[in-house]
Amino acid sequence: MEAKHAVEKSIELIHNSKIAYLGSIDNKDYPNIKAMLNLKNEGLRKIWFSTNTSSKRVSLIKNNSKACIYYADTENFMGLMLTGTIEVCQDEESRQKVWFDGAERYYSEGINDPDYSVLCFTAERGNFYHKQSNVDFDIKL
Amino acid sequence: MEAKHAVEKSIELIHNSKIAYLGSIDNKDYPNIKAMLNLKNEGLRKIWFSTNTSSKRVSLIKNNSKACIYYADTENFMGLMLTGTIEVCQDEESRQKVWFDGAERYYSEGINDPDYSVLCFTAERGNFYHKQSNVDFDIKL
């Protein structure tokens, strides 16, 4: 499989995924994983999630920004892992970017709820696999 | 939610999961995630997977044994994360433990295929969540 084809299939996989798995590193240097709602991306380079400001994830990320995001279509033995860095964003533009109708269920005070934060991920490398085929590629601006 | 109830629900979640997500740390200290077939466990303390000896995962684990395993029922907002250590096992007992009918599809030479390895995970800590409820617990022998 060529890298170009892997990138196309990767974008398709992201668009078909309801859930993304976020990998981070905790304060004892263990990897951590959490399922996140797949909300918003710009190609493979930028991915955004919403989360609670008070959550464990937010404090971990502030301590160690290295992260990965994994998308899987396990029925078809297909997966994408993006590695890069993640940061906590609380600016207006980021808040608007991932806000959706019904998000009041999670953040009762609406888009300005102080417990609403956005996680902004920037990918550096990708790995896409489908069955036995496996491709690594760089992700550039 | 009490820890005892969280442990019971965690074991039930493992038994209902086809897939487990394995978190490891790569040689540049980034978290990595890979979907694995959920094959065998003894309570929450010991979890086994099969993998290719030649796989990237095997060399990463030999370099850094810190790992996590994540199980999710995303429809019901339920998840379990176990953190601990993982090692590569190639002894006869481990090979027998996770071998299953049809595994020849992956390891053409059968149970003694040199490309067949077992990953043995030992959990130290657990975190179980269901909707807004979230419990941390220790896992002891």
Side-chain angles (χ1 to χ4, degrees), chain B residues 108-134:
Chain B
S108 59
E109 294 180 37
I111 199 165
N112 293 313
D113 192 320
D115 200 35
Y116 169 51
S117 281
V118 178
L119 302 180
C120 311
F121 174 82
T122 305
E124 292 157 10
R125 298 272 298 155
N127 175 271
F128 178 82
Y129 70 88
H130 185 202
K131 295 176 181 163
Q132 305 301 322
S133 194
N134 202 305

Side-chain angles (χ1 to χ4, degrees), chain B residues 2-139:
Chain B
E2 284 180 23
K4 192 182 163 219
H5 181 64
V7 167
E8 286 166 6
K9 296 290 284 179
S10 294
I11 289 173
E12 199 179 303
L13 177 59
I14 293 178
H15 290 164
N16 292 335
S17 297
K18 279 188 186 168
I19 298 291
Y21 295 87
L22 172 62
S24 53
I25 294 183
D26 72 15
N27 51 20
K28 289 180 176 165
D29 297 329
Y30 285 83
N32 280 198
I33 300 175
K34 182 85 203 293
M36 308 292 287
L37 282 175
N38 181 27
L39 292 175
K40 184 96 181 170
N41 67 295
E42 278 176 20
L44 298 181
R45 177 74 178 168
K46 293 277 184 185
I47 318 269
W48 293 270
F49 301 108
S50 74
T51 194
N52 295 89
T53 311
S54 56
S55 71
K56 205 159 48 177
R57 207 70 33 198
V58 164
S59 62
L60 292 187
I61 285 167
K62 284 182 175 169
N63 192 47
N64 187 332
S65 66
K66 286 183 175 176
C68 74
I69 302 177
Y70 186 75
Y71 303 85
D73 173 354
T74 56
E75 297 293 316
N76 292 303
F77 302 96
M78 185 187 285
L80 166 68
M81 185 176 70
L82 302 171
T83 49
T85 55
I86 196 161
E87 57 180 331
V88 180
C89 303
Q90 285 164 327
D91 61 288
E92 181 66 22
E93 191 184 335
S94 300
R95 284 170 177 272
Q96 290 284 358
K97 205 176 281 282
V98 297
W99 189 259
F100 59 96
D101 282 349
E104 294 84 359
R105 220 175 340 146
Y106 306 105
Y107 311 106
S108 59
E109 294 180 37
I111 199 165
N112 293 313
D113 192 320
D115 200 35
Y116 169 51
S117 281
V118 178
L119 302 180
C120 311
F121 174 82
T122 305
E124 292 157 10
R125 298 272 298 155
N127 175 271
F128 178 82
Y129 70 88
H130 185 202
K131 295 176 181 163
Q132 305 301 322
S133 194
N134 202 305
V135 186
D136 284 308
F137 49 88
D138 283 320
I139 297 164

Side-chain angles (χ1 to χ4, degrees), chain A residues 13-69:
Chain A
L13 176 59
I14 293 178
H15 289 164
N16 292 335
S17 297
K18 280 187 187 168
I19 298 291
Y21 295 87
L22 171 63
S24 54
I25 295 184
D26 72 17
N27 51 19
K28 289 181 176 166
D29 296 331
Y30 285 82
N32 279 199
I33 300 174
K34 183 84 203 296
M36 307 294 286
L37 281 176
N38 182 27
L39 293 175
K40 185 96 180 170
N41 66 296
E42 277 176 21
L44 299 180
R45 178 74 177 169
K46 293 277 185 185
I47 319 270
W48 293 271
F49 302 108
S50 74
T51 193
N52 296 89
T53 310
S54 56
S55 72
K56 204 158 50 176
R57 207 72 32 200
V58 164
S59 63
L60 292 186
I61 285 166
K62 284 182 174 169
N63 193 46
N64 188 332
S65 66
K66 287 185 175 177
C68 73
I69 301 177

Side-chain angles (χ1 to χ4, degrees), chain A residues 6 9 12 14 23 36 39 48 76 79 88 98 100 104 109 111 114-115 120 125 127:
Chain A
K9 297 289 284 179
E12 199 179 303
I14 293 178
M36 307 294 286
L39 293 175
W48 293 271
N76 291 304
V88 181
V98 297
F100 59 95
E104 293 85 359
E109 295 179 36
I111 199 164
D115 201 34
C120 313
R125 300 271 299 154
N127 175 271

